[in-house]
Amino acid sequence: MRFLLVEDNVELGNAITERLGLEGHIVDWATTLGEANTFITSTQYQVALIDMTLPDGDGKTLLQTLRRSGEPAQSETPIIILTARSTVSDRVDSLDSGADDYLVKPFEFEELLARCRAVIRRKQGRVQNAAQFGDLSFDAQTASLWIGDVPISLRNRERRLMEAFFDAPGRTLSKQHLHDRLFSFDDDASDNAIEVYVARLRKKLGQSDVTIETQRGVGYRLVTR
Amino acid sequence: MLSIRRRLLIQLAWVAFVLAAVMYILGGNIARNTLTASHDQLLLSSARIISERVYSSEAGTVVDIPPSALSMLAEISDNRLLYRITVNQTVVVGVADLPANTATTLESGRGHVETARYKAAPIRLATLQKTVALEDGYAIVEINLGQPLSAQAEIIDAAARRTALLSVGIFILAALLGALAINQALQPLRRISEAVSRRGPRDLRQITHPVPKELEPIIGAINHFLERLSDSLRKTETFISEAAHHIRTPLATMRMQVDLAMTKPMESETQQELLKIKKSIDHSSRVTGQMLDHAMVSYRSERAKRKPIDLSTIIGRLYQSFATTAELRDIDFHLHCQPSLSLRGDPVLIETALRNLVDNALKYTATEGEVEVSAVQDGEEIVVAVSNIGINPVQPLQTLTERFTRGSNSDGVVGSGLGLTIVSEVAQSHGGSLRQFNQGEMIVYELRFAMH
């Protein structure tokens, strides 16, 4: 995904850019309104993350510039406001100005990604660049799964599991690998947690011609029936 | 310190008392003087009448005292009348031992009246000398006419009693009129103090009541003070908000850097340390957020800006913003909200309370747990309930709503202990209530608000 990040705090901007980069995203980072305006006229973004307090003005003006743009690709850009002011009026204010969501600093990186996925999903509906496997289409950006034309709702960990399988369709993935993909270091997961999630995912794939196959003593893989 | 009203009353009473006393004394004096003067005139005119009735006859010098001459004096008192008539220093008739006149010279025909003593009692004694032509030539006739002063005293006493009564009456009247006048004069002061005392402690509007000129400097000073006070309150608010901004941004940087660091390969001990840092950062940011909320709630709940609130929309928006957080932890998050619920209140406060309630519920629910938000109308009340399957048993609500008290189920969960305090303060400021109870395995926090 291509992100526009507008954040005047250099350390925070650096950290977000680097962290998103680790996930394979491209980030154009502007520290001022002026810079951000140059960026939005030259490129299209999947998501814009905008800080409210900027040295040369209010993040809201950028929001309005984007929303009033004649180019649908720009005016439809999902926008998430990053704010250090947490009062209700600040939040309502940013939503009224046309933001799709807001995130109060400090935030968890996971939550930032989850919110990005949610706003993209809300904005674009059916996605064009979904990966196909059997009759399944999976869009990693928005964590949307379809069996044929039927959308399937996935919870956070089911989505991560699906992501892992779609990264290597047909290949056997070890339990350890899946465990690392599903749980972070501070999650207190039991040994049979992977079995539990695999069972859930299998249930959701019920009508599909794709299923998850157990390779006894080795791991699991996604196969077509 | 004595009230102005009492001071004025005491001072006015003193003035009225002094005036009444002066009136009593002056009145008594005037009565005495008038009486003495008229008594003296009576004595002298009687003496003059008598002096005209001195003539010679065959039997010698004769004094023919007409009854009318003495009848007027008898009017004053039935007390005895003393008289002596001497012709050429010889007593012709009357009381021989009546004291003599002390005046050195007496013009003929002009009398003199003085107070003398006769048999130890004070008397008013009139003396009149007149040269009369008798048969054997001119003779000096002296008439002394006296009447005891006790006769005067009775009349003076009666007059004094009336004056005293009059003085007391005037004192009472003056005091009453004074009290009325003071009341009237203090009216603007009372109006101002009533208007000011009706205000809430956060109402810092200027005093705009019309006041008398004399009070203008005081009111001006108070208004100036109010202005400075509200200015400093405004600054405090801005400060809280600015402080939050300046604390949160570096916290966000740290949080992101820890996230970043944790993606890199490292020893498990280092990872443990990083986790601890992450928890501390989360704690600081929650405390900052809730302290800001609490400061805002305390500030706004006194100001009472009530307007109609579309509660369903607020709850819908709230649900939306928490849905992602719930999804991240695989929590089943449901909303049952009756459409178009409305109530009167401060929308910012209501939303803050609900946000804290939902935030609490999500925080104290285990991964893959369940949280439910519901809002329904119940008679004339609106009931908002947030329920979750808690990590541990419930605590008494009263302990939880005290500042910085956290439930014992807070082990390992980041919190500041201000969340429920905020909720219960908002409920109180809206005349509502916060209740906590168990329903099956769910813990329910229930907020009730009157609809109007």
Side-chain angles (χ1 to χ4, degrees):
Chain A
M1 275 197 275
R2 197 178 190 105
F3 282 80
L4 171 66
L5 170 66
V6 189
E7 167 63 64
D8 63 323
N9 185 295
V10 179
E11 284 80 21
L12 184 58
N14 254 325
I16 297 177
T17 308
E18 195 178 335
R19 188 69 182 81
L20 281 170
L22 281 181
E23 300 286 316
H25 301 298
I26 302 159
V27 183
D28 287 335
W29 170 27
T31 52
T32 59
L33 272 182
E35 251 183 286
N37 277 320
T38 324
F39 278 134
I40 57 169
T41 48
S42 52
T43 322
Q44 263 187 40
Y45 295 98
Q46 266 85 43
V47 186
L49 308 173
I50 303 174
D51 181 19
M52 275 307 230
T53 32
L54 292 165
D56 54 346
D58 197 325
K60 246 190 272 172
T61 52
L62 181 62
L63 227 153
Q64 282 153 1
T65 316
L66 270 170
R67 285 288 174 256
R68 285 183 198 143
S69 159
E71 293 274 322
Q74 275 184 17
S75 61
E76 290 294 306
T77 312
I79 298 170
I80 296 178
I81 292 294
L82 306 178
T83 176
R85 302 188 199 285
S86 65
T87 56
V88 175
S89 45
D90 291 329
R91 293 165 200 236
V92 174
D93 213 29
S94 53
L95 292 185
D96 286 348
S97 318
D100 295 283
D101 205 351
Y102 57 81
L103 204 48
V104 178
K105 293 178 188 175
F107 45 81
E108 235 173 299
F109 183 71
E110 273 298 315
E111 181 157 5
L112 174 64
L113 280 187
R115 286 189 187 270
C116 290
R117 279 195 300 272
V119 291
I120 296 172
R121 203 158 48 208
R122 251 187 281 156
K123 279 271 157 154
Q124 60 187 33
R126 182 77 196 237
V127 194
Q128 308 82 4
N129 50 354
Q132 298 284 328
F133 189 77
D135 61 352
L136 289 188
S137 11
F138 181 67
D139 179 8
Q141 273 184 21
T142 61
S144 323
L145 179 74
W146 289 269
I147 301 176
D149 274 330
V150 185
I152 306 292
S153 75
L154 292 180
R155 297 173 110 193
N156 187 35
R157 291 217 168 83
E158 294 161 1
R159 170 188 63 77
R160 288 208 221 171
L161 196 59
M162 208 57 197
E163 242 170 31
F165 284 125
F166 259 87
D167 279 351
R171 268 180 36 209
T172 306
L173 302 173
S174 72
K175 259 174 134 180
Q176 186 56 48
H177 175 80
L178 291 176
H179 193 279
D180 290 349
R181 291 285 299 253
L182 243 61
F183 301 106
S184 61
F185 183 78
D186 49 334
D187 280 328
D188 189 14
S190 62
D191 288 342
N192 67 344
I194 296 297
E195 277 93 332
V196 172
Y197 284 105
V198 167
R200 281 195 199 164
L201 208 50
R202 271 186 186 139
K203 217 171 145 191
K204 290 204 170 168
L205 295 179
Q207 302 299 312
S208 166
D209 60 1
V210 177
T211 191
I212 300 166
E213 193 183 80
T214 312
Q215 306 264 293
R216 203 160 292 278
V218 189
Y220 303 91
R221 65 175 186 151
L222 199 64
V223 290
T224 44
R225 271 193 265 246
Chain B
M1 205 163 140
L2 277 177
S3 72
I4 293 184
R5 178 197 170 81
R6 192 160 295 182
R7 270 160 201 264
L8 284 175
L9 258 179
I10 290 173
Q11 270 170 22
L12 256 172
W14 266 112
V15 170
F17 176 75
V18 169
L19 278 178
V22 165
M23 196 192 126
Y24 174 70
I25 294 164
L26 278 181
N29 271 342
I30 289 168
R32 191 175 301 115
N33 289 343
T34 314
L35 188 71
T36 310
S38 39
H39 192 202
D40 291 357
Q41 282 304 314
L42 270 179
L43 282 170
L44 277 177
S45 12
S46 297
R48 200 161 281 124
I49 292 169
I50 293 168
S51 72
E52 275 158 16
R53 304 300 285 263
V54 179
Y55 53 88
S56 307
S57 77
E58 292 139 10
T61 308
V62 176
V63 184
D64 172 21
I65 301 175
S68 62
L70 300 178
S71 65
M72 276 190 297
L73 286 170
E75 286 291 311
I76 289 179
S77 147
D78 295 335
N79 270 332
R80 61 196 179 123
L81 200 59
L82 305 162
Y83 63 92
R84 178 181 62 194
I85 297 159
T86 48
V87 177
N88 288 337
Q89 320 248 326
T90 318
V91 178
V92 178
V93 69
V95 184
D97 56 350
L98 212 56
N101 168 45
T102 51
T104 42
T105 49
L106 275 174
E107 271 179 62
S108 166
R110 293 206 56 158
H112 168 76
V113 188
E114 64 179 3
T115 302
R117 293 193 87 77
Y118 175 67
K119 290 191 175 155
I123 57 167
R124 198 69 187 157
L125 182 69
T127 308
L128 184 77
Q129 280 186 357
K130 198 177 174 188
T131 314
V132 180
L134 294 177
E135 281 190 4
D136 45 352
Y138 289 98
I140 295 173
V141 177
E142 186 180 301
I143 295 157
N144 296 106
L145 202 56
Q147 199 166 28
L149 274 181
S150 58
Q152 258 189 38
E154 272 170 34
I155 295 172
I156 287 170
D157 280 353
R161 270 196 300 277
R162 274 198 297 277
T163 321
L165 263 175
L166 203 65
S167 301
V168 170
I170 281 177
F171 170 74
I172 290 171
L173 194 69
L176 278 178
L177 285 175
L180 265 176
I182 290 167
N183 255 6
Q184 201 67 27
L186 292 181
Q187 199 73 28
L189 260 187
R190 196 165 30 244
R191 266 203 302 271
I192 290 167
S193 73
E194 269 169 15
V196 173
S197 66
R198 264 200 308 270
R199 291 177 173 203
R202 293 285 181 165
D203 188 349
L204 299 180
R205 280 171 302 145
Q206 304 270 304
I207 299 170
T208 50
H209 292 260
V211 291
K213 244 193 184 65
E214 292 80 357
L215 285 181
E216 272 167 12
I218 300 178
I219 298 298
I222 294 175
N223 277 343
H224 183 60
F225 171 73
L226 281 175
E227 200 181 300
R228 279 194 328 230
L229 190 62
S230 67
D231 186 48
S232 98
L233 264 177
R234 239 190 328 269
K235 278 187 190 142
T236 312
E237 248 185 303
T238 319
F239 173 77
I240 294 173
S241 161
E242 281 296 310
H245 176 71
H246 289 292
I247 294 167
R248 280 165 182 280
T249 305
L251 279 177
T253 310
M254 276 195 276
R255 186 69 169 76
M256 202 45 78
Q257 280 165 344
V258 171
D259 264 339
L260 201 57
M262 286 181 79
T263 60
K264 292 172 183 155
M266 67 183 77
E267 309 248 322
S268 127
E269 274 171 37
T270 320
Q271 214 155 18
Q272 288 290 354
E273 296 303 322
L274 281 176
L275 259 183
K276 281 184 202 158
I277 296 177
K278 204 166 100 176
K279 282 223 160 101
S280 309
I281 296 171
D282 288 346
H283 184 231
S284 312
S285 70
R286 275 190 72 89
V287 172
T288 312
Q290 294 193 326
M291 279 172 78
L292 182 66
D293 275 358
H294 187 250
M296 203 257 310
V297 166
S298 312
Y299 180 79
R300 286 186 81 112
S301 51
E302 300 283 0
R303 304 211 135 184
K305 269 188 213 148
R306 304 277 181 259
K307 53 182 183 187
I309 306 173
D310 178 359
L311 193 65
S312 303
T313 305
I314 289 184
I315 291 179
R317 199 163 55 203
L318 210 63
Y319 177 78
Q320 270 266 307
S321 83
F322 275 110
T324 315
T325 318
E327 186 191 294
L328 261 181
R329 292 182 50 216
D330 284 341
I331 291 174
D332 264 334
F333 189 35
H334 312 288
L335 172 69
H336 301 291
C337 181
Q338 215 170 295
S340 52
L341 289 175
S342 72
L343 60 92
R344 280 190 76 79
D346 182 331
V348 172
L349 288 187
I350 297 281
E351 185 160 346
T352 304
L354 295 178
R355 188 159 43 83
N356 272 283
L357 214 48
V358 176
D359 186 55
N360 249 17
L362 285 173
K363 194 176 66 177
Y364 293 111
T365 298
T367 304
E368 307 216 343
E370 194 181 335
V371 172
E372 192 183 296
V373 178
S374 77
V376 289
Q377 186 180 337
D378 178 16
E380 286 295 289
E381 283 183 318
I382 288 179
V383 185
V384 184
V386 177
S387 25
N388 67 315
I389 299 173
I391 298 171
N392 270 319
V394 270
Q395 305 278 303
L397 188 59
Q398 209 184 344
T399 356
L400 290 174
T401 53
E402 278 162 23
R403 273 193 220 184
F404 298 110
T405 313
R406 295 173 60 198
S408 63
N409 59 355
S410 51
D411 303 336
V413 183
V414 170
S416 71
L418 265 176
L420 285 178
T421 313
I422 292 167
V423 180
S424 91
E425 282 187 15
V426 170
Q428 273 168 28
S429 75
H430 282 72
S433 62
L434 171 65
R435 214 157 62 91
Q436 171 205 255
F437 55 88
N438 281 64
Q439 202 171 61
E441 46 177 356
M442 304 283 259
I443 303 170
V444 184
Y445 289 91
E446 186 189 85
L447 270 172
R448 276 178 181 268
F449 296 108
M451 287 181 73
H452 303 290

